[in-house]
Amino acid sequence: MAMATEAQIWSRDERLAVLRRCLLFSDWPEARLVELAAIARAEFYPRGAEVFARDPERREAFVIASGEIEISRGSAAGKKFVLGINGPPEILAIVRLLDDPPIHYEYRAYEDSVLLHLPTRDLTAILDADPILWRGIALLMCARHGDSLRLLNDHNLGSLDQRMAATLVGLARMHGISGGKGTELGLRLPQEQLGAMLGVTRQSVNKLLRAFEEGGLIAIDYNRITIRDPAALDAIAARDG
């Protein structure tokens, strides 16, 4: 099925196809998926566009249909921390199901992207009509809480080479494209971006990437990185101290 673009109207079948690929909804009954597709709204975001720019507290979750979304926070002093870069078919902003005001993470299109927006009021009504479906929400929230704790632990206790190795392994798992020379990270990854993800300067990132490259762990070509020795990166990421 051809994927709709920003210039097209998304059909119900196209919305259903995206929702079926999303792990959270993959085992939902067909009737509930049809209801979900009925409330979903497709929106196109050009590279660099902020998702909730006009309404930072909008009560919507969204599924990435195509493209990449960067999640970040910034300080009043202008410092930026990138929490992650997610691609299809991830669901994001699910925390907006909660009544409390959402934490103001910034969601921004890292590449041209199409998102399926799900108003949380309507999503809650579907979940309440079939309460067992809340189990998937609970498990997803627990998993993401665990990811946040690991990130906090790595940021506070892990060495820079451990954190870099873990970041590259995680990006390869989500965005990797296998080839004859290794696993290429299927997204642009400037050193400034890696620095924002690790909370360090571009110079520190450059020095460590070059060391990894000299050790045969990765290959670098402009803003592209190819993982050459994933086992070695795994070993560095898992190292104590």
Side-chain angles (χ1 to χ4, degrees):
M1 178 183 301
M3 188 61 68
T5 69
E6 68 273 23
Q8 297 174 310
I9 300 300
W10 278 58
S11 69
R12 188 198 71 162
D13 286 345
E14 286 175 311
R15 299 195 302 273
L16 271 172
V18 171
L19 294 169
R20 285 193 184 102
R21 296 204 313 271
C22 180
L23 184 61
L24 177 62
F25 307 124
S26 60
D27 61 352
W28 273 34
E30 184 66 15
R32 298 302 181 200
L33 273 177
V34 170
E35 292 177 28
L36 192 63
I39 70 168
R41 183 185 75 258
E43 288 193 21
F44 171 78
Y45 294 86
R47 176 181 166 186
E50 187 178 347
V51 175
F52 294 121
R54 288 174 291 182
D55 184 4
E57 295 190 8
R58 190 195 304 175
R59 296 294 177 166
E60 292 183 348
F62 58 86
V63 176
I64 305 173
S66 64
E68 308 282 345
I69 298 295
E70 175 194 89
I71 310 170
S72 66
R73 291 205 71 187
S75 70
K79 185 176 181 180
K80 177 181 176 181
F81 174 69
V82 175
L83 185 65
I85 302 171
N86 294 75
E90 286 287 329
I91 183 169
L92 298 177
I94 197 71
V95 71
R96 293 175 183 238
L97 280 166
L98 301 176
D99 290 333
D100 293 333
I103 298 174
H104 287 163
Y105 287 112
E106 183 177 282
Y107 301 94
R108 190 174 295 275
Y110 195 69
E111 302 287 354
D112 289 354
S113 301
V114 176
L115 310 180
L116 289 189
H117 287 262
L118 304 170
T120 56
R121 182 182 62 182
D122 298 326
L123 176 56
T124 297
I126 295 172
L127 292 164
D128 286 346
D130 202 345
I132 190 62
L133 299 180
W134 277 106
R135 180 177 184 273
I137 300 289
L139 291 174
L140 176 63
M141 298 289 276
C142 287
R144 292 191 173 169
H145 180 60
D147 289 341
S148 296
L149 290 176
R150 283 188 289 274
L151 181 64
L152 183 62
N153 178 78
D154 292 344
H155 189 76
N156 289 327
L157 300 178
S159 63
L160 179 55
D161 61 339
Q162 286 176 289
R163 290 157 52 203
M164 175 68 82
T167 297
L168 293 177
V169 168
L171 290 171
R173 184 172 61 250
M174 289 189 291
H175 307 284
I177 302 170
S178 296
K181 296 182 179 180
T183 301
E184 181 184 341
L185 303 186
L187 71 167
R188 297 175 304 103
L189 204 60
Q191 292 181 6
E192 291 85 352
Q193 184 75 11
L194 271 174
M197 297 177 77
L198 296 168
V200 298
T201 65
R202 186 193 67 80
Q203 290 77 12
S204 296
V205 168
N206 180 269
K207 182 178 179 181
L208 187 53
L209 287 178
R210 293 302 173 190
F212 279 6
E213 186 174 39
E214 290 171 5
L217 281 66
I218 63 174
I220 304 171
D221 183 15
Y222 296 103
N223 291 330
R224 298 284 180 177
I225 296 176
T226 299
I227 307 299
R228 303 290 297 275
D229 193 340
L233 288 177
D234 280 329
I236 293 172
R239 190 176 61 210
D240 291 329

